[in-house]
Amino acid sequence: MIVQDIINYLENLAPSFYAEDFDNVGLLVGNSQENVKGILVTLDTTEAVIDEAIETNCNLIVSFHPIVFKGLKKITGKNYVERVVIKAIQNNIAIFAIHTALDNAFHGVNDMICEKLNLTNRKVLIPQSGTIKKLTTYAPQAEAATVREALFNAGAGSIGNYDYCSFNTDGTGTFKGNETSNPTKGKKLEMHSEPETQISVTFPKHLESQILQALFMAHSYEEVAYEIIQIDNTNQHIGMGMIGTLEKPMTETDFLKYVKETMQTGTIRHSQFLNKPIQKIAVLGGSGSFAISSAKRAGADIFITADLKYHDFFQAENSLILADIGHYESEQFTKNLLVAYLTKKITNFAPALPVGRLIISKTNTNPVKYY
């Protein structure tokens, strides 16, 4: 098993196509073709985590946060970022970061928070725009079913809770091949009319290359006519934050005690209580002040996030409670999510790593301490 194999699994969980534009995800350090001896999963890649990887003989670190976030013009070891990169290279350790790709994944960071809090009826809080494309193509009527099936198998035609979705219209296609053409229908240099079916399917944008490959493989024409457009429909499975409900409502104080214990946080900073029961909860791991208005529009009783500033709390405006549980605390269980996912993938689909070689980092990388 090589590093690229692990990257492919992680791309299936959280495609890098959906990471935020400001982010720096993917393989940051190392060779994608290197054989994997062991995998260390961490929230942050610090010098202590590099030391832990060396001690446990792990040559791949899967990190939630990217150690290289902004461009490096020099690598001299003058700060912790440069020292981590130098030490990783010296010890042949690859570093992969997943960050906002996993934030935007349906079964990612925010779903994990909902899982810990036992929330049901989960929905994405802020669906990401520009994630859906539509393919329209034309096939001989006798081949339409084969082409459709190939597109479905490649991942096209899924809309929310439905698969195998398409729209089909029968008509007549015309074409005339030149001297160097090799038509499968009709003859070169002769005008030809062919009964065809127009097939339209939607697909998530990260699958475009494999969708087209499937189309070309299944289609009999030498030149396949098709068009792809981006559509603005909401994708209910990709985006920031999540909203869900408690099975039974709780009082404000009981719910915050429950969150404090469940999320293992030292303290919770919150806005004014409203003396209302808590049942509908919005969550967003990490810095989430930008989503306050979205939580309001969704009708949340409380919004759980991190890194709220003084003036952010005024935005509660007596319509919901804002609760800051801490950045590390809101994302800490991401490590468990990634290990559980990779364990299943490696066991089911690839030669297993040596026993115990997929490890959750024991290093507490939280830079915030509580007195």
Side-chain angles (χ1 to χ4, degrees):
M1 181 184 301
I2 61 174
V3 170
Q4 187 61 50
D5 293 327
I6 303 302
I7 292 174
N8 292 342
Y9 294 142
L10 294 171
E11 283 284 333
N12 287 333
L13 171 66
S16 56
F17 273 84
Y18 306 121
E20 297 298 310
D21 292 339
F22 63 80
D23 205 3
N24 187 31
V25 300
L27 186 63
L28 306 183
V29 176
N31 181 357
S32 64
Q33 301 305 304
E34 192 76 22
N35 288 323
V36 177
K37 299 176 183 177
I39 305 169
L40 183 67
V41 179
T42 181
L43 196 66
D44 307 278
T45 306
T46 62
E47 294 172 82
V49 170
I50 296 291
D51 290 336
E52 185 180 4
I54 295 170
E55 292 171 6
T56 55
N57 196 30
C58 290
N59 65 337
L60 172 60
I61 293 175
V62 175
S63 178
F64 179 67
H65 292 126
I67 182 61
V68 180
F69 195 72
K70 298 179 180 179
L72 293 176
K73 293 185 178 180
K74 299 178 181 179
I75 305 179
T76 61
K78 68 179 180 181
N79 58 47
Y80 81 96
V81 174
E82 294 179 8
R83 290 192 294 273
V84 164
V85 172
I86 290 172
K87 200 165 193 176
I89 293 173
Q90 288 174 335
N91 290 277
N92 200 29
I93 295 172
I95 303 174
F96 179 89
I98 198 166
H99 204 204
T100 58
L102 193 61
D103 281 323
N104 279 312
F106 191 81
H107 295 295
V109 176
N110 300 296
D111 186 56
M112 190 65 177
I113 297 174
C114 291
E115 187 70 23
K116 297 296 290 185
L117 296 176
N118 291 314
L119 304 185
T120 59
N121 303 317
R122 302 170 196 174
K123 296 180 180 179
V124 171
L125 182 63
I126 309 175
Q128 192 180 89
S129 61
T131 63
I132 304 174
K133 292 190 174 185
K134 183 173 78 169
L135 166 72
T136 300
T137 189
Y138 310 85
Q141 290 180 10
E143 301 174 14
T146 300
V147 171
R148 267 197 309 271
E149 188 69 22
L151 295 173
F152 293 153
N153 290 339
S158 294
I159 302 175
N161 295 320
Y162 295 84
D163 295 323
Y164 300 95
C165 302
S166 69
F167 188 80
N168 306 270
T169 304
D170 288 337
T172 302
T174 64
F175 48 85
K176 178 182 178 181
N178 62 22
E179 292 180 350
T180 59
S181 66
N182 185 28
T184 55
K185 302 289 184 180
K187 298 178 181 179
K188 67 174 66 177
L189 301 177
E190 292 184 6
M191 181 73 171
H192 179 76
S193 297
E194 180 69 26
E196 292 182 338
T197 300
Q198 176 183 297
I199 304 168
S200 294
V201 290
T202 59
F203 62 91
K205 67 178 182 180
H206 73 280
L207 296 180
E208 181 170 333
S209 61
Q210 67 188 61
I211 295 291
L212 288 178
Q213 183 179 10
L215 172 63
F216 300 150
M217 290 290 292
H219 209 295
S220 66
Y221 283 180
E222 182 181 26
E223 296 289 347
V224 181
Y226 71 94
E227 56 184 306
I228 291 177
I229 62 172
Q230 181 175 296
I231 59 178
D232 293 329
N233 298 47
T234 297
N235 190 329
Q236 59 187 288
H237 288 113
I238 299 172
M240 283 283 182
M242 193 160 276
I243 189 158
T245 56
L246 287 169
E247 184 178 349
K248 295 180 180 179
M250 299 174 69
T251 65
E252 295 161 320
T253 53
D254 284 346
F255 181 70
L256 286 186
K257 288 178 183 177
Y258 171 61
V259 172
K260 189 174 187 295
E261 178 181 341
T262 303
M263 300 305 293
Q264 301 174 18
T265 181
T267 187
I268 298 178
R269 300 162 60 237
H270 63 85
S271 60
Q272 179 178 314
F273 281 164
L274 305 177
N275 297 316
K276 296 179 183 177
I278 299 293
Q279 187 163 27
K280 195 171 187 179
I281 296 100
V283 305
L284 198 153
S287 303
S289 61
F290 66 91
I292 293 173
S293 59
S294 298
K296 286 182 182 179
R297 286 194 297 270
D301 300 313
I302 189 169
F303 176 37
I304 299 171
T305 188
D307 298 343
L308 297 180
K309 297 180 180 179
Y310 176 84
H311 289 95
D312 291 331
F313 286 97
F314 285 115
Q315 296 183 52
E317 296 183 300
N318 295 319
S319 63
L320 83 172
I321 296 173
L322 299 176
D324 185 333
I325 67 172
H327 196 120
Y328 176 89
E329 288 79 5
S330 70
E331 297 174 336
Q332 61 183 306
F333 299 111
T334 302
K335 296 188 293 185
N336 304 74
L337 183 160
L338 289 170
V339 167
Y341 173 80
L342 286 175
T343 298
K344 184 176 180 180
K345 287 292 181 180
I346 292 170
T347 301
N348 291 344
F349 301 108
L353 286 168
V355 176
R357 304 313 302 145
L358 179 57
I359 302 169
I360 294 180
S361 173
K362 296 179 181 178
T363 303
N364 185 333
T365 59
N366 190 358
V368 180
K369 307 302 177 185
Y370 298 99
Y371 180 73

